[in-house]
Amino acid sequence: AQSVAQPEDQVNVAEGNPLTVKCTYSVSGNPYLFWYVQYPNRGLQFLLKYITGDNLVKGSYGFEAEFNKSQTSFHLKKPSALVSDSALYFCAVRDSSGGSYIPTFGRGTSLIVHP
Amino acid sequence: DAGITQSPRYKITETGRQVTLMCHQTWSHSYMFWYRQDLGHGLRLIYYSAAADITDKGEVPDGYVVSRSKTENFPLTLESATRSQTSVYFCASAGEINQPQHFGDGTRLSIL
């Protein structure tokens, strides 16, 4: 079985400061991991993914995420937050060993960047 | 324009009515999905499809029906709408199972 957890419902950060949105996962095989962002009244937009290779993955809008197998985590990071980064962020995982192609989504973390 | 579009964007209807939400994608993606998004529940999968004429139930399929006669279309029908089906509905597609999903901008459905 696969599962994903986003332990924080909300993250607050000041503009210009670094931000981290946390994600942990559980799978039987190897994980395929994704981050999405959702702005108000819009669908989810893909930010970045980890399938294999380098543990540090770079994505859209200056975001990056670090895959940590020992801690089963895939935290989303950005060195300097912008007010326009305020949105809802979703982590998703799919187990490579499972027969299903359906990813499991976390509950989402609301990121609020204060001017 | 290439993409995934949902229609209508907003819909108000009454309990007991049948309503169909449309989803159309222009990439010829094999995989398509329907989710509902509710406060406190995140995204919940209603139905999914791996190809035309192949559909499967997700986490919350009761009260919903889907069809996929063509690769590009994946309509979702509420046969007899109930107030508990008031939600925002998202359609998504993916070309391959390891590729990210592309989401439409949703249909906000209110059932009175």
Side-chain angles (χ1 to χ4, degrees):
Chain A
Q2 62 192 29
S3 66
V4 61
Q6 294 181 241
E8 301 155 317
D9 289 337
Q10 185 171 301
V11 170
N12 291 277
V13 64
E15 187 174 31
N17 283 0
L19 69 87
T20 298
V21 182
K22 295 180 180 177
C23 172
T24 59
Y25 65 90
S26 175
V27 295
S28 301
N30 292 318
Y32 299 142
L33 293 154
F34 304 85
W35 273 104
Y36 295 84
V37 60
Q38 184 182 29
Y39 299 102
N41 298 318
R42 299 297 303 275
L44 279 66
Q45 298 175 32
F46 168 69
L47 277 179
L48 50 81
K49 67 178 180 181
Y50 173 83
I51 303 297
T52 186
D54 289 341
N55 290 341
L56 185 63
V57 179
K58 294 188 183 295
S60 306
Y61 311 122
F63 284 93
E64 58 188 30
E66 186 167 10
F67 171 65
N68 188 316
K69 188 171 184 177
S70 62
Q71 297 186 3
T72 61
S73 67
F74 190 56
H75 301 331
L76 182 70
K77 300 181 179 183
K78 188 174 183 181
S80 179
L82 299 172
V83 172
S84 57
D85 293 329
S86 298
L88 191 56
Y89 290 81
F90 289 92
C91 182
V93 67
R94 194 180 77 80
D95 191 339
S96 65
S97 68
S100 172
Y101 56 86
I102 306 302
T104 297
F105 283 83
R107 297 279 285 264
T109 298
S110 178
L111 172 67
I112 299 174
V113 181
H114 302 276
Chain B
D1 289 339
I4 181 165
T5 54
Q6 294 184 237
S7 61
R9 288 295 315 275
Y10 304 91
K11 177 74 175 179
I12 300 174
T13 190
E14 297 176 338
T15 56
R17 295 282 183 103
Q18 182 181 83
V19 59
T20 296
L21 310 184
M22 304 301 292
C23 178
H24 174 78
Q25 52 103 353
T26 60
W27 296 295
S28 297
H29 282 170
S30 296
Y31 302 94
M32 295 191 75
F33 311 81
W34 273 107
Y35 296 91
R36 58 179 290 175
Q37 186 177 30
D38 304 284
L39 278 175
H41 291 279
L43 284 172
R44 290 185 289 177
L45 183 65
I46 305 170
Y47 268 95
Y48 58 101
S49 168
D53 297 323
I54 300 175
T55 62
D56 285 295
K57 294 179 180 179
E59 180 186 355
V60 289
D62 292 346
Y64 302 95
V65 174
V66 294
S67 63
R68 196 163 177 210
S69 58
K70 293 184 177 180
T71 299
E72 61 267 28
N73 296 324
F74 192 38
L76 175 74
T77 297
L78 288 66
E79 294 186 299
S80 179
T82 65
R83 289 197 180 91
S84 65
Q85 292 177 309
T86 292
S87 186
V88 182
Y89 290 85
F90 288 99
C91 178
S93 71
E96 298 176 12
I97 59 174
N98 292 338
Q99 294 304 310
Q101 293 171 299
H102 298 264
F103 285 79
D105 280 335
T107 294
R108 187 174 295 274
L109 179 63
S110 296
I111 300 165
L112 307 178

